[in-house]
Amino acid sequence: MTTWAADKDVPLIQNVLGYESQSLNGAWNYIVDVQEEGYYDYRMNPTRWGFFQNAKPQRPEDLIEYDFDKSPTMQIPSDWNTQDEKLFFYEGTVWFYKQFNSQFSTLNSQSERALLYFGAVNYDAHVYVNTQHVGHHIGGFTPFNYDVTDLLKEGVNTVIVKVDNKRHAEDVPTQIFDWWNYGGITRDVKLVKVPAVYLEDYNLQLMKADAKAKNREISFSAKLNQPKAGEQVTLRIPELKIEKTFTTDAEGKVAGIVTPSLRRGKGEAFSLWSPENPKLYQVKISVGVNTVEDNIGFRTIETRDKQILLNGQPIFLKGISIHNEKPNGGGRANSAEDARTLLSWAKELGCNFVRLAHYPHHEEMVREAEKMGILVWSEIPVYWTIAWKNPKTYENAKQQLTDMIARDHNRANVIIWSIANETPHSPERDTFLGNLAQYARTLDNTRLISMAMEVTGASNYVNRLNDNMNKYVDVVSFNQYIGWYRDVNDAPKMKWEIPYNKPVIISEFGGGARYGLHGPKNQRWTEEFQENLYEQNCAMLDKIEGLAGTTPWILKDFRSPRRVLPGVQDYYNRKGLFSDKGEKKKAFYVLKKWYEGK
Ligand code: GCU
């Protein structure tokens, strides 16, 4: 394993949107490098003369067999599959190149730093700034950043990214998954200016209601990027009349409790975040003279027996599953607008909850949902047959979990961290997932942990959930496909045995339909078949004791290489309630009506 001494990894910065930044989005040149000629020599050893050198002939006889500046361009952020039709099915290496004049090249590096930030790159990324290797990142759905202050120069700078989305058994996700393996620099790229001593992380959470406590209490903690003692960190939440200064300890950390001082008599109330009232408070956190602003909501989430309690009140999660794909016609979603469109479709359905499957979606998706009053289930792609025994695979999954929680742990609407989907039972799997669940709690003990399980034993219409992971989760969730992978006529007869005193979420159910295809309700792929399937399933779900919510599969038809039926699927999974063009199928109205009754 080649290591690069000069790597510039720094922990993921909290709330990157709170800092001055220079966007590097836009046109990037790219070179498709099927055999990684730009990285390995003909003996498959990493070469020093790779494309990252961005070499140009100096003399007429010089042999340079690539030229970024003469190579085609594509818009970043995006996936390459929908940008260049020759790359629709492509899985392999593509090199990306961007020239830029840095707004931060004249920084006083003693007092300020510049971070190069990527929202996500699928899957394996090597990053070079001015031909220097700054870092190697794996995992296609979480952000990462590098301190490139010392590499930036006046005038023209270059950033080169080698992106490889080939699938391997030891990866997360592993070799097979039912979504399109969109490759590329799929989310925003920016240079971020930060003070030399900055807030690497901070956390604000409403403490669970304590009947004895006169006022609600908020826990606050923060960590600087350096283990500096004696630094002043001031928290201000003007609307709650909170202003408190803390002093960092030897690790550069602060922690404490703050209490809103509101004069109820004066109609000042502490407004808790909820779907009906997605209240966000402006929060300012200062380290010395530097201040970061954020908008944070306050709410509590917990379970009591088979109930999920939001702000102490039972809630039924009227959800829908969503893939991180553009609303119309495929391609990775990556903007606030994409998010608002998809989430407004969920709102039309009557949803107060979405399952962002099967990997962390772009940050705007979570933040727009927070503004729209939509609760979120966020998940890492530990999906199907992961290499449970491989320690590298575990470290990879753990890192993706760390980064998912690091990015979104201040979002009030995120209530469930999911660590897996439909994983086959085995002792190795149990150890892997058990460790992940416990690790997640060390990172965030204020939210619920779950995973999408499967019902393995069904006989005589009795479906019994039997999963060792039940003891590690707060919410027992499972996928079931009565009506699609099992006969719809069985639905009325089905009995469900879920021997755990925990809330139940049906994290997937559904069936496919080609929009506009009509026929008898027992004819697959017709809208009537899907409509009937939803009617039968909703009635069946009403009988499941302890059902606290559901996220049917799925909001919209989405691209999948596993769906090849001509004239019906055409590389789309057709289980959407909306077509890939946003057209509502008949089943949409069945679920909407069912949610109106909830
Ligand atoms: C599975 C899986 C999904 C998949 C769906 C389907 O349950 O979790 O990722 O797309 O079923 O078969 O359509």
Side-chain angles (χ1 to χ4, degrees):
M1 174 73 173
T2 311
T3 57
W4 290 268
D7 270 8
K8 306 288 182 185
D9 293 65
V10 286
L12 186 60
I13 187 168
Q14 175 60 213
N15 182 23
V16 69
L17 301 169
Y19 292 87
E20 183 189 345
S21 65
Q22 173 185 0
S23 173
L24 296 182
N25 291 353
W28 288 52
N29 301 88
Y30 66 99
I31 298 176
V32 180
D33 186 8
V34 178
Q35 294 195 2
E36 300 190 304
E37 162 71 10
Y39 191 76
Y40 296 104
D41 63 22
Y42 76 125
R43 295 282 183 252
M44 277 303 281
N45 301 316
T47 169
R48 291 178 39 208
W49 315 113
F51 290 178
F52 50 83
Q53 291 291 1
N54 189 28
K56 302 287 181 188
Q58 303 304 313
R59 299 163 305 156
E61 65 273 22
D62 281 354
L63 172 61
I64 305 292
E65 295 182 287
Y66 67 93
D67 186 332
F68 279 114
D69 295 299
K70 292 199 180 100
S71 299
T73 64
M74 75 169 70
Q75 284 304 310
I76 296 298
S78 75
D79 54 276
W80 60 60
N81 312 76
T82 55
Q83 291 281 315
D84 177 338
E85 63 183 300
K86 295 194 298 302
L87 300 179
F88 182 61
F89 287 107
Y90 182 65
E91 295 182 302
T93 285
V94 175
W95 292 83
F96 289 92
Y97 166 84
K98 177 83 173 172
Q99 276 196 358
F100 63 97
N101 288 341
S102 165
Q103 290 166 10
F104 308 133
S105 56
T106 55
L107 284 184
N108 159 1
S109 62
Q110 295 314 309
S111 60
E112 295 170 312
R113 310 296 297 175
L115 305 184
L116 176 60
Y117 180 96
F118 292 86
V121 175
N122 191 47
Y123 176 81
D124 183 317
H126 283 276
V127 180
Y128 306 82
V129 170
N130 294 334
T131 78
Q132 292 298 309
H133 190 274
V134 296
H136 176 213
H137 183 268
I138 56 169
F141 306 101
T142 45
F144 54 100
N145 45 223
Y146 303 112
D147 184 333
V148 296
T149 315
D150 308 330
L151 295 172
L152 294 176
K153 56 188 178 176
E154 297 247 8
V156 175
N157 293 266
T158 62
V159 55
I160 292 174
V161 187
K162 171 188 181 293
V163 183
D164 181 1
N165 74 334
K166 286 194 290 298
R167 292 167 287 115
H168 309 90
E170 68 273 16
D171 292 351
V172 179
T174 182
Q175 270 160 318
I176 56 168
F177 42 85
D178 191 25
W179 66 82
W180 207 263
N181 187 23
Y182 292 113
I185 304 175
T186 54
R187 296 178 189 163
D188 292 345
V189 187
K190 57 181 105 178
L191 273 178
V192 184
K193 185 168 85 170
V194 294
V197 178
Y198 62 90
L199 276 171
E200 183 181 288
D201 197 7
Y202 55 85
N203 195 357
L204 275 148
Q205 295 292 336
L206 180 65
M207 312 274 287
K208 294 211 170 59
D210 167 348
K212 288 193 291 309
K214 207 158 63 37
N215 275 324
R216 300 304 303 260
E217 296 178 321
I218 295 171
S219 74
F220 170 65
S221 63
K223 177 181 183 308
L224 302 180
N225 65 317
Q226 297 180 18
K228 273 187 128 216
E231 292 288 321
Q232 303 297 298
V233 176
T234 301
L235 169 67
R236 291 184 189 82
I237 310 180
E239 263 187 282
L240 297 178
K241 300 199 171 33
I242 287 175
E243 174 157 354
K244 188 165 180 181
T245 298
F246 302 80
T247 305
T248 58
D249 63 16
E251 292 174 79
K253 293 182 176 173
V254 298
I257 304 290
V258 293
T259 309
S261 47
L262 300 172
R263 292 162 302 159
R264 284 211 185 82
K266 297 263 179 280
E268 294 169 354
F270 184 14
S271 185
L272 300 188
W273 187 98
S274 70
E276 301 73 30
N277 172 44
K279 169 65 181 174
L280 300 176
Y281 285 91
Q282 185 196 39
V283 171
K284 299 179 179 184
I285 306 171
S286 307
V287 180
V289 295
N290 301 299
T291 299
V292 173
E293 293 193 15
D294 202 344
N295 295 305
I296 293 181
F298 298 101
R299 56 93 188 98
T300 59
I301 187 74
E302 56 203 308
T303 65
R304 184 178 58 207
D305 301 330
K306 291 191 175 252
Q307 291 181 317
I308 294 178
L309 307 180
L310 178 69
N311 299 328
Q313 299 305 314
I315 184 168
F316 184 86
L317 300 173
K318 302 183 276 187
I320 192 77
S321 294
I322 306 181
H323 260 297
N324 201 201
E325 211 177 58
K326 282 192 181 305
N328 294 299
R332 276 284 169 234
N334 52 36
S335 67
E337 195 205 340
D338 290 339
R340 282 193 290 272
T341 303
L342 293 165
L343 295 167
S344 65
W345 292 357
K347 277 266 184 182
E348 268 188 81
L349 257 176
C351 293
N352 60 8
F353 178 55
V354 290
R355 176 187 178 198
L356 303 182
H358 291 289
Y359 38 78
H361 287 208
H362 64 300
E363 185 166 357
E364 291 85 350
M365 191 74 173
V366 177
R367 285 190 176 257
E368 290 302 319
E370 186 179 44
K371 293 176 197 156
M372 294 166 77
I374 298 178
L375 294 156
V376 162
W377 158 309
S378 187
E379 183 165 295
I380 53 171
V382 174
Y383 180 97
W384 290 351
T385 50
I386 292 288
W388 308 111
K389 299 181 187 140
N390 184 329
K392 283 211 183 90
T393 301
Y394 180 76
E395 285 312 312
N396 179 348
K398 192 178 171 189
Q399 187 61 50
Q400 295 191 42
L401 181 63
T402 307
D403 297 336
M404 171 174 77
I405 295 178
R407 190 193 75 184
D408 295 339
H409 68 74
N410 280 314
R411 305 280 71 77
N413 61 325
V414 177
I415 55 169
I416 297 178
W417 300 122
S418 168
I419 60 169
N421 179 74
E422 293 190 351
T423 49
H425 296 198
S426 73
E428 295 78 21
R429 172 258 196 185
D430 290 358
T431 306
F432 189 111
L433 294 181
N435 291 341
L436 267 187
Q438 286 164 311
Y439 173 66
R441 288 193 197 288
T442 65
L443 298 176
D444 180 6
N445 62 3
T446 69
R447 287 181 175 80
L448 310 178
I449 302 292
S450 192
M451 64 181 78
M453 300 171 176
E454 292 173 293
V455 173
T456 44
S459 60
N460 305 333
Y461 309 114
V462 177
N463 297 278
R464 183 173 168 70
L465 187 65
N466 176 9
D467 194 318
N468 296 337
M469 285 300 107
N470 75 81
K471 54 182 177 288
Y472 293 101
V473 296
D474 301 294
V475 174
V476 167
S477 309
F478 63 90
N479 302 346
Q480 62 83 21
Y481 277 92
I482 305 295
W484 190 252
Y485 298 120
R486 294 174 58 185
D487 186 345
V488 72
N489 302 311
D490 293 349
K493 306 178 210 128
M494 286 299 168
K495 296 204 178 16
W496 298 88
E497 284 184 8
I498 306 160
Y500 314 119
N501 186 29
K502 295 183 177 181
V504 174
I505 289 180
I506 303 290
S507 35
E508 288 181 34
F509 76 84
R514 176 73 197 229
Y515 174 77
L517 188 61
H518 294 286
K521 66 179 182 184
N522 65 346
Q523 184 189 332
R524 275 199 191 251
W525 303 115
T526 62
E527 289 193 42
E528 287 73 18
F529 186 105
Q530 189 190 43
E531 178 186 38
N532 178 48
L533 181 150
Y534 267 76
E535 280 158 359
Q536 298 295 333
N537 270 271
C538 291
M540 182 182 73
L541 263 60
D542 276 336
K543 291 185 284 178
I544 295 181
E545 198 237 334
L547 186 69
T550 184
T551 49
W553 194 259
I554 185 164
L555 180 72
K556 150 187 111 57
D557 293 354
F558 62 95
R559 282 257 176 230
S560 169
R562 303 171 62 80
R563 310 297 172 172
V564 298
L565 186 60
V568 175
Q569 294 176 315
D570 300 321
Y571 293 110
Y572 273 102
N573 181 312
R574 295 290 182 192
K575 294 191 177 73
L577 294 174
F578 288 80
S579 73
D580 54 293
K581 297 185 182 56
E583 301 139 319
K584 294 187 184 78
K585 302 176 189 177
K586 281 184 159 185
F588 167 94
Y589 301 100
V590 175
L591 186 64
K592 180 177 174 62
K593 187 156 166 285
W594 190 58
Y595 279 160
E596 278 157 9
K598 286 283 171 206

